[in-house]
Amino acid sequence: MEIPLSALKKGESGIITSILSASRRGRGGSWGFKKRLMDMGLTPGTEITVTKIAPFGGPIEICVRGSRLALGRGMAERILVRIKREWLRS
Amino acid sequence: MVKKLTIALAGNANVGKSVIFNQLTGLHQHIGNWPGKTVEKAEGTLHFRGYEIDVIDLPGIYSLSTFSLEELISREYIALERPDLVINVVDASVLERNLFFTLQLIELGAPMVIALNQVDVAERKGIKVDHEKLSRLLGVPVVPTIAIRGLGIYRLLEVAVETIEKGEVRPRQILYGREVEERIEKLARLVAKVGFKYPARWTAIKLLEGDREVEEAIRKLDPTIISIKEKLAREIEEIHGHPCSTVITSERYEVANRIAEEVQQITPIAKPSLSERLDALTSHRLLGYPIMVVTLLAIFYSIFAFGDYVSTILSDFLYGFEPLFKSVLGEGLLEELIWGGIIEGLISGVTIALPYIVPFYFLLYVLEDSGYLSRIAFLMDVVMHKIGLHGKAFIPVMLAYGCNVPACLGCRIMETERERLLAGFVVTLIPCAATTVVILGLVGKFVGIEWALLLYIVDLAIVFALGRAAFKSLPGEPIGLLMEMHDYKLPHMKTVVNQTWFRLSEFIKIAFPFIVLSSLVIKSIELVGLLEPVSTLLSLVTVNWLGLRPEMGVSLVFGILRKELTLIMLATLLKTTDFGSVLTPVQMMVFALVTMLYIPCIATIAACVKEFGFKKAFFITVFEIAFAILAGGVAFRLLSLLNIP
Ligand SMILES: Nc1nc2c(ncn2[C@@H]2O[C@H](COP(=O)(O)OP(=O)(O)O)[C@@H](O)[C@H]2O)c(=O)[nH]1
Ligand SMILES: [Mg+2]
């Protein structure tokens, strides 16, 4: 199942499937936006874990590739992830 | 003759470049701007084994693509100026992300040595890195360091010099998937023919990644390459089902990931470290906010208390020279001009700059290097979003409550031109420490502290509304927050002191000439006897529209110099400091409101010119004067309706 990263709860993990373009207006904005996320290591297939969620619709913090990133909520909404299925009872 | 070498430090942000720079270069340092740019460049020299080595601290970067100015400058510098060696500083505790950058440096063909820094932090997180294996895999010398304690720095220097002496470092190029690799080679052959300034393979990769800067440059040389590139990129996209740039970045990260897994050994640590516990507390969704407010208030309070104390001592001391000076020059026009214009201007600069700005910068760098500033940005992101900015913009806003000048310069941390300008505009509307003195000394003292508080609230609302209006009217898309959250770390004192010193000298260079010059001009106007006519002219606005007394217009003019002068001049012109006896509460409120809004002081205007150019600075200034007059007039009419005690 594909859901936006912003829908994950604290402590949940997912695997990035795709990143939606930032804007409908022109290519420029979207190039910079996607590129920036990619360069920070948010490439398709990467596993991420939500480590913190700021209140009032604020940014979220994720753990990716061994480091932590803060992401604005708007950006998190455009990152689609597949939830990692649990395969052992905790 | 001494042989000269140039070594550049490059790496992600917060890996320890500045600390290594300071460890290497000691006292011989200076900081300047890259020609024509607002990005800084720190340069220092050292002598080692008969060489005079110039060390350059390149601005921090996440990857070498043209997203921001820093990145562009760094790669231009490395590829075109060709330093003898690049020391790639790598944070061992976040190896994978750092290696992504290293791989790009290798593609750029830079001769390099890796400083594997922060091995202590990595160890605390249970990460052990096999630096010999890393060196073998990459074909690059690797020296483990703990910069903050100076460990490994000497060895790093030795290896760096030996590497330069040997010449020919052959880092191993990374390979992409076959279908990508074939197309890179094809494109590289074409690029090689037109003779581009960057290495052909690197250029080909950048073209396929969709790098604008490179694309434009190549288009000028040979537009057919671009159309071929587009065809190749489309083919890759079809094979992989992802855009070509995504494919290349993913594959590069894959290599970084493989190398990191090969060389590091991770043993999970059971107990959360102090740094982690601090992090959980300071960015906690509820507790984070009160902790932030208390921390910031404590910092501002201590800066004020310290500044006030030192400022009084300094100004008593400096004014102590006045009789001596007068006895030498005698009383007269010249003496008035030199003392009242130039020297008093200097004294006021000194008594403000040193006592307030120094601790201010110092604490700021402690906050920044420790990692707390990014927590603040994280917490404030929501609020800043309302005016189209993201969390990082709160940092210049916070600075502005101290002084608008560093705040303006601090807007550099924003990613794009648009963001910088927007932040700069908001920042100049914020009442600085000097304005606070006026508000508290006038309204707080003679009308009531609750009215002073009201002024602050109104001001905040105005800043918010204007910020939002500017955000809506500036073309372009807002940019979201994307920031690495580094672990809390102990700042390196010498680096903090150095940064404070650099900032102070920058402040002096920008602000002092203006403070002295305008002090001189205003003194001249006073001596020539132009104050009366000026005051009459101004009273059209000040008296008729704002309902103030004529003297108050002149003191507002003095406020251009430094905001707290409005109050000092007011006392001089009204011939009393008991403002309550000569001014009505409404007049005091309107006067304070106008002072808050009407113009950033001359030093701030200078800083704006430096950062945003003359035209934008001029526009901001004129707009704010007009707006303040408008707001003051409205406030006068509204307040007159109320009955203020
Ligand atoms: N524990 C530890 N901290 C370090 C080390 N090197 C740098 N730091 C800290 O990491 C932070 C960032 O360093 P800085 O030199 O400003 O990074 P830059 O952005 O690359 O210039 C500072 O707080 C330093 O004190 C190290 O080897 N060990
Ligand atoms: Mg630095």
Side-chain angles (χ1 to χ4, degrees):
Chain A
M1 194 182 55
E2 254 188 13
I3 56 169
L5 169 56
S6 52
L8 291 185
K9 292 191 195 70
K10 186 175 165 179
E12 284 183 335
S13 303
I15 293 184
I16 300 180
T17 54
S18 59
I19 294 173
L20 303 178
S21 290
S23 70
R24 283 131 267 117
R25 278 188 266 162
R27 229 180 102 229
S30 86
W31 189 81
F33 165 78
K34 275 179 107 161
K35 182 79 189 140
R36 224 153 66 98
L37 290 176
M38 297 280 158
D39 282 349
M40 295 297 257
L42 297 168
T43 54
T46 311
E47 181 180 338
I48 51 178
T49 307
V50 174
T51 48
K52 253 178 237 146
I53 301 179
F56 320 118
I60 62 173
E61 189 194 270
I62 57 174
C63 181
V64 56
R65 298 184 186 275
S67 73
R68 283 175 307 155
L69 286 184
L71 272 180
R73 190 65 62 101
M75 293 184 122
E77 278 164 6
R78 298 199 197 96
I79 300 173
L80 298 184
V81 297
R82 188 156 36 82
I83 294 200
K84 274 186 79 180
R85 193 172 59 88
E86 298 280 331
W87 53 279
L88 277 179
R89 259 184 217 292
S90 48
Chain B
M1 209 193 98
V2 270
K3 274 176 285 179
K4 290 197 175 184
L5 294 178
T6 311
I7 295 181
L9 294 166
N12 290 23
N14 232 274
V15 291
K17 291 184 299 295
S18 299
V19 176
I20 290 186
F21 176 77
N22 278 310
Q23 297 280 18
L24 284 176
T25 56
L27 281 177
H28 306 277
Q29 304 179 345
H30 65 98
I31 215 163
N33 272 12
W34 293 90
K37 309 260 169 65
T38 52
V39 177
E40 283 156 12
K41 166 186 182 182
E43 244 183 309
T45 35
L46 74 122
H47 293 267
F48 185 75
R49 293 195 183 155
Y51 293 104
E52 185 183 311
I53 305 176
D54 205 16
V55 185
I56 289 163
D57 186 5
L58 291 175
I61 17 190
Y62 285 109
S63 103
L64 285 176
S65 42
T66 42
F67 188 73
S68 68
L69 211 53
E70 281 89 354
E71 293 171 8
L72 195 61
I73 287 176
S74 299
R75 83 178 187 199
E76 269 181 11
Y77 180 81
I78 292 171
L80 306 180
E81 304 276 320
R82 302 205 152 273
D84 296 293
L85 188 80
V86 175
I87 293 181
N88 175 209
V89 185
V90 163
D91 180 349
S93 71
V94 259
L95 194 58
E96 189 178 334
R97 182 186 306 297
N98 279 253
L99 285 177
F100 180 74
F101 177 77
T102 306
L103 295 177
Q104 297 194 70
L105 271 183
I106 292 178
E107 281 174 348
L108 205 46
M112 61 194 267
V113 166
I114 290 177
L116 185 68
N117 194 33
Q118 306 208 12
V119 284
D120 57 330
V121 180
E123 238 155 65
R124 247 179 276 141
K125 283 165 101 177
I127 302 171
K128 260 188 87 77
V129 179
D130 181 347
H131 68 269
E132 280 159 8
K133 195 166 181 187
L134 181 63
S135 169
R136 266 200 313 280
L137 284 175
L138 293 171
V140 172
V142 177
V143 182
T145 55
I146 302 177
I148 196 171
R149 281 190 261 144
L151 296 179
I153 302 295
Y154 189 80
R155 180 83 198 119
L156 177 65
L157 196 55
E158 279 180 336
V159 171
V161 171
E162 280 161 19
T163 307
I164 296 173
E165 282 172 346
K166 253 190 284 170
E168 273 317 279
V169 224
R170 284 232 159 264
R172 289 170 64 186
Q173 297 283 338
I174 64 164
L175 287 176
Y176 294 87
R178 191 147 51 84
E179 57 299 333
V180 178
E181 198 61 42
E182 275 167 11
R183 288 169 178 86
I184 291 175
E185 275 163 27
K186 200 164 168 184
L187 207 52
R189 274 197 299 275
L190 292 173
V191 172
K193 272 188 223 144
V194 296
F196 189 44
K197 52 189 178 179
Y198 290 96
R201 181 181 163 83
W202 181 86
T203 310
I205 296 171
K206 282 294 142 188
L207 282 174
L208 287 173
E209 275 187 277
D211 188 295
R212 291 275 189 72
E213 203 76 27
V214 175
E215 191 172 318
E216 282 318 305
I218 291 289
R219 195 191 298 281
K220 276 188 204 124
L221 290 174
D222 185 358
T224 55
I225 294 183
I226 301 300
S227 49
I228 294 173
K229 163 232 139 183
E230 257 148 34
K231 188 175 129 281
L232 295 175
R234 234 175 296 122
E235 287 168 12
I236 293 176
E237 185 167 347
E238 265 160 36
I239 299 172
H240 283 267
H242 284 294
C244 184
S245 67
T246 305
V247 175
I248 291 182
T249 311
S250 299
E251 290 192 357
R252 195 185 290 131
Y253 254 116
E254 222 177 281
V255 176
N257 175 269
R258 292 276 277 284
I259 297 174
E261 291 198 337
E262 283 281 317
V263 300
Q264 66 187 7
Q265 239 183 12
I266 304 180
T267 32
I269 302 262
K271 218 174 88 217
S273 63
L274 178 66
S275 147
E276 273 165 58
R277 272 179 295 173
L278 258 182
D279 172 60
L281 198 64
T282 49
S283 50
H284 187 271
R285 40 188 300 135
L286 297 176
L287 289 178
Y289 290 92
I291 291 174
M292 178 184 82
V293 170
V294 169
T295 310
L296 293 184
L297 283 180
I299 284 174
F300 273 103
Y301 181 77
S302 45
I303 290 173
F304 265 94
F306 175 86
D308 191 44
Y309 179 73
V310 176
S311 178
T312 318
I313 294 178
L314 266 177
S315 87
D316 283 350
F317 173 74
L318 291 171
Y319 273 102
F321 289 103
E322 191 172 0
L324 179 72
F325 186 85
K326 295 206 160 151
S327 68
V328 174
L329 267 191
E331 309 252 340
L333 201 63
L334 186 68
E335 181 275 336
E336 286 250 10
L337 261 185
I338 295 182
W339 180 266
I342 298 170
I343 298 188
E344 277 193 12
L346 270 178
I347 290 179
S348 62
V350 169
T351 52
I352 289 179
L354 299 179
Y356 294 97
I357 302 273
V358 171
F360 187 66
Y361 276 136
F362 183 81
L363 290 176
L364 179 73
Y365 280 111
V366 169
L367 285 189
E368 179 174 2
D369 285 1
S370 68
Y372 190 48
L373 277 193
S374 39
R375 270 72 184 179
I376 293 181
F378 181 76
L379 290 173
M380 293 307 287
D381 187 53
V382 169
V383 181
M384 298 314 290
H385 250 283
K386 301 281 188 282
I387 51 176
L389 292 167
H390 62 63
K392 280 196 210 167
F394 184 67
I395 291 154
V397 167
M398 191 179 88
L399 295 184
Y401 280 98
C403 174
N404 280 192
V405 174
C408 258
L409 304 178
C411 293
R412 284 175 202 166
I413 61 169
M414 305 308 291
E415 287 88 351
T416 65
E417 203 72 35
R418 178 181 180 278
E419 260 60 28
R420 287 178 205 198
L421 183 63
L422 194 52
F425 174 66
V426 169
V427 149
T428 53
L429 286 166
I430 293 197
C432 67
T435 316
T436 300
V437 170
V438 177
I439 292 161
L440 293 182
L442 197 64
V443 177
K445 200 159 163 194
F446 296 103
V447 188
I449 196 77
E450 66 278 11
W451 291 97
L453 203 62
L454 177 73
L455 273 178
Y456 270 94
I457 294 170
V458 168
D459 181 76
L460 213 54
I462 289 175
V463 169
F464 217 77
L466 285 182
R468 213 177 152 75
F471 155 48
K472 295 280 179 202
S473 55
L474 269 180
E477 295 265 325
I479 282 194
L481 179 71
L482 180 57
M483 170 177 73
E484 206 174 338
M485 301 292 275
H486 301 278
D487 297 330
Y488 274 120
K489 263 170 234 153
L490 212 59
H492 182 240
M493 271 313 135
K494 192 173 158 236
T495 305
V496 170
V497 168
N498 256 331
Q499 279 162 325
T500 305
W501 168 246
F502 282 143
R503 283 292 159 277
L504 180 69
S505 52
E506 181 184 45
F507 177 87
I508 290 174
K509 263 187 239 153
I510 293 177
F512 268 49
F514 283 92
I515 293 178
V516 173
L517 189 72
S518 46
S519 167
L520 193 63
V521 169
I522 290 176
K523 193 77 197 171
S524 316
I525 292 178
E526 189 190 322
L527 288 178
V528 178
L530 270 175
L531 274 189
E532 275 293 317
V534 169
S535 141
T536 321
L537 196 69
L538 286 174
S539 64
L540 281 176
V541 175
T542 46
V543 178
N544 299 351
W545 169 247
L546 294 172
L548 301 175
R549 294 186 39 152
E551 297 90 339
M552 297 170 98
V554 178
S555 40
L556 284 176
V557 171
F558 275 83
I560 298 171
L561 185 54
R562 277 163 29 228
K563 289 254 173 131
E564 80 279 12
L565 269 189
T566 49
L567 201 62
I568 296 168
M569 277 313 291
L570 201 58
T572 315
L573 293 171
L574 294 173
K575 301 189 178 61
T576 172
T577 48
D578 181 19
F579 298 114
S581 65
V582 280
L583 298 171
T584 67
V586 174
Q587 282 177 329
M588 288 189 266
M589 293 279 285
V590 171
F591 183 80
L593 183 70
V594 174
T595 307
M596 261 174 148
L597 294 171
Y598 78 117
I599 196 177
C601 69
I602 189 101
T604 308
I605 297 174
C608 279
V609 170
K610 182 166 185 279
E611 295 299 299
F612 312 118
F614 182 78
K615 245 165 70 190
K616 289 182 179 125
F618 180 77
F619 176 78
I620 290 179
T621 307
V622 171
F623 173 83
E624 284 176 12
I625 293 175
F627 183 82
I629 292 173
L630 180 76
V634 172
F636 164 53
R637 279 154 189 84
L638 283 179
L639 286 169
S640 304
L641 294 178
L642 298 172
N643 245 336
I644 306 181

